[in-house]
Amino acid sequence: MGESVQAEVMMSFLVSEELAFRIPVELRYETCDPYAVRLTFHLPGDAPVTWAFGRELLIDGVGRPCGDGDVRIAPAEADTLGEVLIRLQVGVDQALFRSSAAPLIAFLDRTDKLVPLGQEGALADFDAHLEEALDRILAEEQSAG
């Protein structure tokens, strides 16, 4: 199964310039998918929506605008680490969320303790080797039986 890190962060769902509401967002990181983070948005009156994207994108986005395509992350104001904007796009529709940077950084710090950034490949290789070894052992047992 692998280990995981979870956190719940309250974010503002910015519906328009005038309208925003606070929603709980579950952050999840799993060693079985070491390059990705998952954010599950609990929107009022809707089923939860989960987005998965690169952990590195979230790390970089806390400090500077980054991402292209479906997920864009940027500091809310340049040169301050106060708040982060997360923009998710599906076709022409987009959703904008504002989060305090501190809980994101705390969450990312915990993921880094579990799997240091840059070490994801080693983990993936280890899993593959482990699986290979187990397959070999099982195959030998079956041929011996």
Side-chain angles (χ1 to χ4, degrees), residues 51-142:
W51 281 68
F53 51 86
R55 171 170 69 155
E56 212 164 324
L57 176 63
L58 189 56
I59 292 170
D60 292 346
V62 168
R64 63 181 171 80
C66 64
D68 46 31
D70 298 350
V71 182
R72 294 168 194 260
I73 302 175
E77 277 124 44
D79 308 322
T80 64
L81 281 178
E83 294 188 309
V84 179
L85 292 173
I86 300 173
R87 187 183 307 271
L88 306 175
Q89 187 146 5
V90 184
V92 294
D93 295 325
Q94 63 175 17
L96 185 61
F97 300 90
R98 181 193 287 259
S99 172
S100 174
L104 298 180
I105 293 167
F107 169 76
L108 289 166
D109 190 52
R110 288 168 56 211
T111 72
D112 194 61
K113 286 185 173 67
L114 196 58
V115 180
L117 196 64
Q119 298 295 309
E120 301 93 345
L123 187 76
D125 291 346
F126 174 76
D127 278 357
H129 288 306
L130 183 65
E131 211 165 293
E132 224 171 82
L134 289 172
D135 286 347
R136 255 205 320 276
I137 292 165
L138 288 172
E140 284 170 15
E141 279 180 6
Q142 282 168 347

